[in-house]
Amino acid sequence: MDTRPIGIFDSGVGGLTVINKVLRLLPNENIIYFGDTARVPYGNKSKETIIRFSKEIVKYLLGFKVKLIVVACNTASSLSLETLKRSFSVPVVGVIKPGVEEALKVSRNKRIGVIGTEATISSNTYKKAIENIDKSFFVIQKSCPLFVPLVENMHLYDDIAVRVAENYLSPIFNKGIDTLILGCTHYPLLKNVIQRIAGRDIELIDSSMAVARHVKRLMERRNLIGGSIRPYTKFFASDNTENFSKLAKIFLRKSITARRVIF
Amino acid sequence: MDTRPIGIFDSGVGGLTVINKVLRLLPNENIIYFGDTARVPYGNKSKETIIRFSKEIVKYLLGFKVKLIVVACNTASSLSLETLKRSFSVPVVGVIKPGVEEALKVSRNKRIGVIGTEATISSNTYKKAIENIDKSFFVIQKSCPLFVPLVENMHLYDDIAVRVAENYLSPIFNKGIDTLILGCTHYPLLKNVIQRIAGRDIELIDSSMAVARHVKRLMERRNLIGGSIRPYTKFFASDNTENFSKLAKIFLRKSITARRVIF
């Protein structure tokens, strides 16, 4: 039994969607969550900057002797995962591969849409990951640079969210896709709005459940499973914003306070 | 004649709108511009974080022996100007007061709208500044948290910009205002879209010209005017993003490269 915590990080609140799923499958794990709320969003920043931010956060999490790190941010997973894996000996799990595997299982017509930040989409990480597994899939990608700001500013169900989403999504929904990968951990918070525009024929892939299953398998294989009787989840953030607490309350169904960390 | 440069900073590209105006009135000045593109936007972050970022940038600019600093960011002006003035001996100019003075001159019906980031609006800095000068003015404020992300992601004239702007602005345009303060240096880049929704009867106050006039007066008073024959403008940014160069090209009408700075 390994009681060391799991480290989970994101640019902001998006990674909170992963915590719930991990705790559903692994209820006796301790978790350290870090949200980089002072520097959010990552999605329109350069690869070098995203790698620098990610390394800083991993070093911070290692201070808690974490046994595994989940990069619960698609932008950081797309651009920094390989560097993190090379630079640190702790196992590091990203969110791209689990989401892709899920989408390939779900799609029947082999036409998949992927939405994500500018940085994620222009890295082509999803397209390459899908084509590496099966070249016969048609992949259409679309960056939605305002979706993270929408979520971080609490525009979750309102008219602005609907208008922005329609504008980004209508062009890709005309391409006959039956599956849409939500390629950013913030996007599940816009699921209602996105599904309304997508209609019933398009299945949305929220990779957080797939990530949790992947984490569980890996931990079993490496003998990292914990068994804390009163497991804790601790929250740290580079800025203490009201929205962080508000969104955490909505998605974790309890009030939390994040401790502010500056590095 | 004082050939030391003027320092100008913003959270991102917004402050570029101020450079042009300063150079129009003071064509022989050297300028050091810093855009905090790795941590943009500021508008939904906490006061403590915005003060910390602003101080770091002022310290960086002081390394260039700047003779004056322009906080070309309304969020930083609203939340950190007083602290910066207390903490540093160099003259520091914000963008709030010049914009307010301009608006009071322009308005005929004494009904003024103010739009800005969440942090600027909830600080009530504009409302207080107007009421300090003349209590008989009616001030209606509205935060537009997606406007900075719109600009930073190059949504300047498109349908998304129009839809978001309509949604934020229609409620305040029903209140009989004749003057609207663009309380964020990013917003002049959305001027066409905003004016289209505002119609002809509402005058938009872009404070950048008022800021330039204020800077000129202050420099004359303090004997800081420079007279470089071949003045330079140097650009520094915490991240080198493609959008920074693209927007700089649009608004400065020339190609520039920003040097990346990490601190």
Side-chain angles (χ1 to χ4, degrees), chain A:
Chain A
M1 200 180 88
D2 188 335
T3 57
R4 290 177 300 163
I6 299 171
I8 301 180
F9 78 88
D10 180 41
S11 61
V13 299
L16 296 173
T17 60
V18 173
I19 294 185
N20 270 346
K21 306 297 167 63
V22 168
L23 285 178
R24 199 182 296 170
L25 297 189
L26 298 161
N28 300 314
E29 298 296 330
N30 298 311
I31 289 175
I32 302 289
Y33 182 86
F34 182 87
D36 199 1
T37 46
R39 305 188 289 198
V40 71
Y42 282 7
N44 55 349
K45 287 159 193 175
S46 71
K47 182 174 181 173
E48 291 74 7
T49 292
I50 293 159
I51 288 177
R52 177 165 64 89
F53 290 171
S54 301
K55 278 179 153 181
E56 281 174 4
I57 296 167
V58 168
K59 278 179 199 160
Y60 177 73
L61 290 172
L62 288 175
F64 293 91
K65 305 203 182 307
V66 293
K67 58 187 170 188
L68 176 106
I69 286 175
V70 182
V71 186
C73 169
N74 296 62
T75 304
S77 292
S78 295
L79 299 166
S80 70
L81 188 65
E82 293 314 311
T83 309
L84 296 178
K85 283 184 171 177
R86 272 199 313 274
S87 310
F88 300 97
S89 59
V90 66
V92 185
V93 174
V95 289
I96 309 291
K97 218 179 139 204
V100 163
E101 287 168 356
E102 184 82 2
L104 295 188
K105 262 186 257 165
V106 165
S107 176
R108 291 167 183 278
N109 75 359
K110 296 195 160 196
R111 297 177 75 84
I112 293 180
V114 182
I115 54 175
T117 65
E118 187 58 40
T120 298
I121 296 305
S122 62
S123 75
N124 280 312
T125 311
Y126 271 105
K127 200 170 155 60
K128 286 183 214 154
I130 293 170
E131 289 171 355
N132 270 349
I133 299 175
D134 188 337
K135 276 203 184 344
S136 68
F137 274 81
F138 167 79
V139 182
I140 180 154
Q141 302 187 100
K142 172 80 178 166
S143 69
C144 305
L146 288 183
F147 275 9
V148 171
L150 278 173
V151 171
E152 294 280 337
N153 291 294
M154 298 287 290
H155 288 289
L156 300 181
Y157 316 104
D158 61 8
D159 199 40
I160 285 193
V162 173
R163 282 166 170 233
V164 171
E166 273 172 354
N167 210 292
Y168 282 138
L169 301 177
S170 301
I172 64 164
F173 289 164
N174 294 334
K175 305 286 180 187
I177 57 168
D178 70 351
T179 308
L180 178 72
I181 298 178
L182 306 180
C184 173
T185 49
H186 283 74
Y187 295 2
L189 316 191
L190 293 169
K191 214 170 181 174
N192 290 344
V193 168
I194 297 170
Q195 190 75 66
R196 186 171 138 189
I197 299 160
R200 288 188 196 165
D201 296 337
I202 298 176
E203 182 140 0
L204 307 188
I205 304 296
D206 161 2
S207 54
S208 54
M209 199 61 213
V211 171
R213 280 194 293 269
H214 182 80
V215 167
K216 191 181 175 202
R217 277 197 307 272
L218 182 78
M219 284 176 45
E220 284 167 345
R221 219 165 51 225
R222 299 214 187 181
N223 209 14
L224 293 172
I225 298 285
S228 297
I229 296 163
R230 295 179 146 217
Y232 60 78
T233 301
K234 290 181 183 166
F235 298 88
F236 299 86
S238 48
D239 193 12
N240 261 347
T241 62
E242 216 179 301
N243 288 345
F244 185 84
S245 311
K246 269 191 211 159
L247 285 163
K249 196 166 181 178
I250 294 174
F251 293 98
L252 301 171
R253 290 185 196 85
K254 60 180 178 188
S255 293
I256 60 120
T257 39
R259 203 172 306 167
R260 194 199 314 246
V261 183
I262 294 168
F263 45 66

